[in-house]
Amino acid sequence: MSTTTGTTTTAGTATTTTGRASATAIDAARAAGRSALVGYLPAGFPDRAGCVDALRASVAAGLDVIELGLPYSDPVMDGPVIQAAAETSLRGGTRIRHVLESVEQLTSAPDGERAPVLVMSYWAPVLRYGVEAFARDLASAGGAGLITPDLVPDEAGEWLAASDAHHLERVFLVAPSSTPARLASTAAACRGWTYAASTMGVTGARASVGAAAEGLVAASRAAGAERVCVGLGVSTGEQAAEVGAYADGVIVGSALVRALSEEGVPGLERVVRDLAAGVAGSRA
Amino acid sequence: MSAPTTPGGEQLLFERFGDRGPYFGEFGGRFVPEALIAALDQLDEEYSRAAADPTFAAELDRLQREYTGRPSILTEVPRFAEHAGGARVLLKREDLNHTGSHKINNVLGQALLTKRMGKKRVIAETGAGQHGVATATAAALMGLECVVYMGEVDTRRQALNVARMRLLGAEVVPVSNGTATLKDALNEAFRDWVAHVDDTHYVLGTVAGPHPFPAMVRDFHRTIGVEARAQVLQRVGRLPDLVAACVGGGSNAIGIFHAFLDDPQVQLLGLEAAGDGVETGRHAASITGGVSGVLHGARSMILQDEDGQTLDSHSISAGLDYPGVGPEHAYLASIGRARYEPVTDAEAMEAFGLLCRTEGIIPAIESAHALAGALRAGRELGPDGVVLVNLSGRGDKDVDTAARWFGLVSDADLVASEAERVAAPVEDSEGNGW
């Protein structure tokens, strides 16, 4: 296994599917003839307990995989909805240790409200915490792994080693602008799945999901990606059904944040049920 | 080093030189979303081709001579130097460049690259407004669409520069999220770039950001030091003992430092904005008071808390009010080739006032930090010392701030003028046809 660059790692396709792995949930959805539903909330939003409760309710309403955001002061990949939620969380005093506590609470929730948890974090907080220490503490909290929106495999030597050592999934992003060579090196560096950004832009609900997404999923698979989930712009059941027809997972963020902000947990549950109905039977 | 020359025998102003990145020791790199990698690769490749293309260097040289006004002059300031222990103090007059600061050097280079890449639109971030004005200027000159992101706090501190950018045809977008200052303007520029990368070039204004920006922006500013080194040799008959420059992101400092890197007898002194004092926590001194981390696409020295969250920076100078610094400066500090010292708001303003009264030159408040460092260094060097200071910008934009600081006009007048400004924003001013 490589400890230097993503392009030479051999761990990419030899997925370790532990019980906590999100890949397990994605495979289970696929076996049931559908795409998996991956849902994002920033940890500590609207507050620490409220976030955990909202995500447990979302799992009960049909969410397959939890993407728990680690709020960061300078989120360059996020649009206004998630920026505002992250600011709320930080103003509320959310620290990295609180995010890890939330992971632990989510992964020890009762059956029916429990799903694999991936943390999504910009690189600055992980680097400051210590890459090895973060991997160790995330694994011991029961976390499945980490999504890194501003870390490309080229810069990820330390993280590749730490995630190997602690059997964590690592999800890197590909974009419509990625070259075939980068699709291949990124797919090889991922463990669990690859995050395909549907469009060139930041997070946020859009009227239509980028037309490039389907081609990007196909190109990623051709480049060796084992599982490909699509994010950016999905907010409705119809869009989820459309994306779920070709992707292994459908990732929804801003629409969940907005529903929770505006209508609380009941509103969030309604949106999750709509999205879950969208993916149901999507790949039958 | 033997510098290349133009067909007419003049020394070329632009020359690619030195560490090309992506890393400077442990610093630098590309900590950006994958979506931007293709654009950074394209920029890197185009820059490499351009740097090897004599027609690019010739065109940039022509612009620097005929439009910017290069070479900029060297001015000795003996009355100011009386307060610097009697050492000789020489100012590299980047304040006399077109648009009033060193920023134009980089912007003209990047605007030419934008055209080479076939892109029609440029975006930029700005703090004090100097880089925004320079970008708007180059965009007007070359017929490019221009959008400048500026922290809302800074649009108020630097209202005249907002007007200048709009006069030049640029759209100025106030950024109100986060701390509404320079770092948030950078965030917003990156968000714009991710979404419009096909037709848009991001004219990053300093030697920070992902590779190739730190090396490329440095190369465009390197002429400052190349000129100054030759000018000091000619004027004084020897190299300076010390070169002083202010450091926010660090573009003017790296520009003047670089030509002296291989002259071990020349000390390089970067002056960081200490705001109320580094010990108060209200400062912008990233090397003095920061830690190794990642911000805006590069690993460097950053002001951040123990969770890696970026801390608010504080400085009277909008152009230095940034919680990071270019990775090559972090590297030069780590190997001890350059040293970096803090200068408080009060020290900078004292030097600002002194240069105005003793030499008839109103410096930018950013550059006043370098002047304060020169006063300090001169006193250490004594009467035999020779100090070169990069006067990176002029202070016209700072007259309002200085008037408040020194109490030059009544508070009532300032409040009234601010009220007028709010009541009559630039877009609505009548009669000028804009």
Side-chain angles (χ1 to χ4, degrees):
Chain A
M1 98 187 72
S2 166
T3 55
T4 49
T5 69
T7 52
T8 54
T9 183
T10 54
T13 48
T15 303
T16 316
T17 44
T18 60
R20 67 182 187 224
S22 66
T24 309
I26 292 169
D27 290 347
R30 184 189 295 182
R34 63 181 179 83
S35 183
L37 183 61
V38 182
Y40 168 94
L41 283 181
F45 177 80
D47 54 47
R48 292 204 283 281
C51 176
V52 170
D53 291 346
L55 284 167
R56 286 172 54 170
S58 297
V59 173
L63 202 62
D64 297 302
V65 173
I66 293 169
E67 182 185 342
L68 186 68
L70 195 156
Y72 175 52
S73 52
D74 295 273
V76 295
M77 268 297 282
D78 285 308
V81 171
I82 291 177
Q83 280 177 50
E87 275 187 53
T88 299
S89 172
L90 287 173
R91 271 201 307 274
T94 301
R95 306 291 310 270
I96 293 177
R97 66 172 185 277
H98 298 134
V99 178
L100 293 168
E101 282 167 19
S102 295
V103 171
E104 197 161 8
Q105 288 161 12
L106 288 164
T107 54
S108 57
D111 282 351
E113 297 181 9
R114 189 175 66 244
V117 181
L118 288 153
V119 169
M120 195 231 60
S121 181
Y122 290 89
W123 196 236
V126 176
L127 190 61
R128 185 66 196 269
Y129 191 91
V131 177
E132 162 63 26
F134 189 87
R136 177 196 66 210
D137 293 351
L138 178 59
S140 88
L146 187 62
I147 302 170
T148 50
D150 65 346
L151 183 74
V152 291
D154 323 45
E155 301 282 2
E158 214 182 340
W159 166 234
L160 297 182
S163 52
D164 281 347
H166 296 281
H167 309 290
L168 290 167
E169 292 178 318
R170 49 179 182 247
V171 177
F172 294 104
L173 276 68
V174 292
S177 60
S178 300
T179 60
R182 290 197 64 83
L183 291 178
S185 61
T186 304
C190 288
R191 177 167 39 216
W193 48 281
T194 300
Y195 187 131
S198 68
T199 185
M200 295 296 285
V202 297
T203 58
R206 288 176 175 80
S208 66
V209 178
E214 187 168 2
L216 179 57
V217 170
S220 297
R221 289 205 182 104
E226 194 181 1
R227 303 175 193 83
V228 186
C229 302
V230 169
L232 299 194
V234 181
S235 63
T236 67
E238 264 175 50
Q239 289 171 327
E242 180 197 326
V243 172
Y246 58 80
D248 300 302
V250 180
I251 308 164
V252 185
S254 296
L256 302 190
V257 173
R258 174 165 286 163
L260 182 59
S261 323
E262 292 175 358
E263 302 168 78
V265 173
L268 176 67
E269 288 171 319
R270 205 158 47 241
V271 170
V272 172
R273 277 195 296 269
D274 177 43
L275 292 162
V279 296
S282 54
R283 308 195 72 202
Chain B
M1 65 201 91
S2 66
T5 56
T6 64
E10 291 166 302
Q11 186 179 321
L12 276 178
L13 297 172
F14 169 73
E15 181 198 359
R16 195 174 190 192
F17 188 86
D19 270 340
R20 294 185 180 184
Y23 301 101
F24 306 89
E26 67 173 287
F27 303 106
R30 282 181 172 179
F31 295 85
V32 294
E34 167 66 21
L36 288 178
I37 295 289
L40 292 169
D41 280 343
Q42 181 195 17
L43 179 62
D44 197 22
E45 285 158 22
E46 191 62 43
Y47 175 58
S48 289
R49 271 196 296 273
D53 177 356
T55 64
F56 177 80
E59 174 65 359
L60 186 53
D61 258 58
R62 187 189 65 76
L63 288 169
Q64 297 288 29
R65 291 176 203 280
E66 298 175 6
Y67 191 72
T68 305
R70 300 209 75 88
S72 65
I73 62 173
L74 189 73
T75 302
E76 181 155 13
V77 286
R79 278 170 43 74
F80 178 82
E82 287 171 16
H83 302 265
R88 293 182 73 173
V89 177
L90 300 111
L91 307 184
K92 179 60 174 167
R93 299 294 303 280
E94 293 297 299
D95 61 316
L96 297 180
N97 291 339
H98 180 45
T99 74
S101 81
H102 70 291
K103 294 289 188 188
I104 189 84
N105 302 327
N106 164 46
V107 157
L108 289 174
Q110 290 202 46
L112 286 179
L113 283 177
T114 304
K115 292 185 74 168
R116 282 178 72 106
M117 291 186 287
K119 295 184 174 183
K120 307 281 188 230
R121 178 174 179 266
V122 289
I123 56 173
E125 84 294 343
T126 199
Q130 298 298 80
H131 175 60
V133 167
T135 306
T137 299
L141 177 69
M142 300 191 196
L144 300 166
E145 187 190 338
C146 179
V147 175
V148 179
Y149 291 95
M150 189 170 185
E152 197 172 38
V153 171
D154 293 332
T155 63
R156 289 197 299 271
R157 286 199 277 199
Q158 304 288 347
L160 279 179
N161 269 343
V162 174
R164 289 168 81 193
M165 289 183 267
R166 288 176 176 162
L167 283 169
L168 292 161
E171 181 188 349
V172 180
V173 180
V175 177
S176 56
N177 48 24
T179 55
T181 59
L182 179 55
K183 83 171 178 73
D184 307 287
L186 266 121
N187 291 340
E188 211 53 37
F190 274 115
R191 292 182 187 116
D192 180 314
W193 203 27
V194 171
H196 302 104
V197 71
D198 282 347
D199 71 340
T200 297
H201 174 60
Y202 178 15
V203 183
L204 212 150
T206 190
V207 288
H211 176 72
F213 284 108
M216 181 183 73
V217 174
R218 175 204 67 211
D219 290 350
F220 289 139
H221 284 303
R222 195 172 166 277
T223 186
I224 302 171
V226 171
E227 289 172 11
R229 190 176 182 281
Q231 287 166 324
V232 173
L233 276 174
Q234 196 201 13
R235 187 82 56 90
V236 182
R238 67 174 179 88
L239 290 173
D241 298 300
L242 183 139
V243 179
C246 64
V247 178
S251 65
N252 89 80
I254 210 80
I256 197 162
F257 285 176
H258 231 257
F260 296 94
L261 284 182
D262 295 330
D263 300 316
Q265 70 273 38
V266 179
Q267 300 176 52
L268 305 176
L269 176 62
L271 288 313
E272 298 194 291
D276 294 344
V278 173
E279 71 288 351
T280 66
R282 291 178 51 82
H283 64 90
S286 314
I287 293 176
T288 308
V291 295
S292 175
V294 163
L295 179 64
H296 293 142
R299 183 154 189 170
S300 190
M301 297 298 285
I302 315 287
L303 300 182
Q304 57 175 215
D305 72 11
E306 58 193 32
D307 267 8
Q309 308 289 349
T310 311
L311 292 170
D312 293 356
S313 55
H314 295 275
S315 171
I316 191 170
S317 150
L320 303 181
D321 198 351
Y322 178 64
V325 66
E328 196 171 5
H329 284 294
Y331 171 66
L332 291 175
S334 73
I335 61 169
R337 178 61 192 98
R339 69 176 204 271
Y340 297 82
E341 293 181 357
V343 168
T344 63
D345 288 352
E347 292 171 289
M349 292 311 291
E350 190 185 332
F352 177 100
L354 188 62
L355 191 72
C356 293
R357 289 193 308 279
T358 57
E359 301 287 348
I361 298 170
I362 301 178
I365 295 177
E366 290 77 16
S367 317
H369 289 70
L371 292 166
L375 291 172
R376 224 188 265 164
R379 288 169 197 144
E380 286 166 19
L381 290 166
D384 297 330
V386 176
V387 177
L388 170 66
V389 182
N390 198 9
L391 198 74
S392 55
R394 66 183 181 220
D396 306 39
K397 68 184 174 57
D398 295 317
V399 169
D400 193 74
T401 304
R404 289 166 199 272
W405 180 272
F406 295 114
L408 305 179
V409 285
S410 77
D411 284 353
D413 286 350
L414 285 169
V415 170
S417 73
E418 188 142 296
E420 281 164 25
R421 190 188 294 158
V422 171
V426 174
E427 307 95 301
D428 303 332
S429 57
E430 52 183 72
N432 59 15
W434 301 101

